[in-house]
Amino acid sequence: MMKISQINDLFNDLWNFHLVLFGIALSIFTLLYSFILSKRDEIRNIAEQVKSGDKNPLLSQKENFAIKYIKRLKSINDKIVVIVILSLIFFIISWVLQRIVFDYYFCIKLYSLYVVSFITICLLIYLIYMFSIIYKYYKDETAI
């Protein structure tokens, strides 16, 4: 049988994990967002060159590559937003359950620990899935 101190320690580990995950996901989101803005500026420059009468077919190809790149990064960023939101929510839930919910609510804490742990495992599986997608994009983009 678990003791309340063990449950509190596990909640402490969970909220630390979700805080770290939140920070990493937010950093990745910001990095990808800056890449998207950079490519968007590139598309604007290409559009200005086309408006000025430059009919170079390479410009059209650059524009298509930039649009494809933005769509890919936007798709990844949308998924990262899910990770940011979930990790923040479970950071708060774990912190509240450890610090604010009184120890004499042992059953509530124990069942909450099971639920939060299960969702954390699901989130880890989702992260592994996301990593495999990003790695596949990386391999495709860097193929020579």
Side-chain angles (χ1 to χ4, degrees), residues 58 64 104:
L58 288 176
N64 288 337
Y104 57 84

Short mmCIF file of all heavy atoms in Angstrom, two decimals, residues 58 64 104:
data_model
loop_
_atom_site.label_atom_id
_atom_site.label_comp_id
_atom_site.label_asym_id
_atom_site.label_seq_id
_atom_site.Cartn_x
_atom_site.Cartn_y
_atom_site.Cartn_z
N LEU A 58 12.51 30.23 -61.42
CA LEU A 58 13.10 29.87 -60.12
C LEU A 58 12.37 30.55 -58.97
O LEU A 58 12.28 30.00 -57.87
CB LEU A 58 14.59 30.22 -60.09
CG LEU A 58 15.51 29.35 -60.94
CD1 LEU A 58 16.93 29.86 -60.88
CD2 LEU A 58 15.45 27.91 -60.47
N ASN A 64 7.02 28.08 -54.05
CA ASN A 64 6.36 26.81 -53.75
C ASN A 64 7.07 26.06 -52.63
O ASN A 64 6.42 25.49 -51.75
CB ASN A 64 6.28 25.94 -55.01
CG ASN A 64 5.27 26.46 -55.99
OD1 ASN A 64 4.35 27.18 -55.63
ND2 ASN A 64 5.46 26.13 -57.26
N TYR A 104 -5.55 13.99 4.10
CA TYR A 104 -6.59 13.06 4.54
C TYR A 104 -7.57 12.71 3.42
O TYR A 104 -8.45 11.89 3.60
CB TYR A 104 -7.33 13.56 5.80
CG TYR A 104 -7.99 14.91 5.70
CD1 TYR A 104 -9.25 15.05 5.15
CD2 TYR A 104 -7.34 16.03 6.20
CE1 TYR A 104 -9.86 16.27 5.07
CE2 TYR A 104 -7.95 17.27 6.12
CZ TYR A 104 -9.20 17.39 5.57
OH TYR A 104 -9.80 18.61 5.51
#
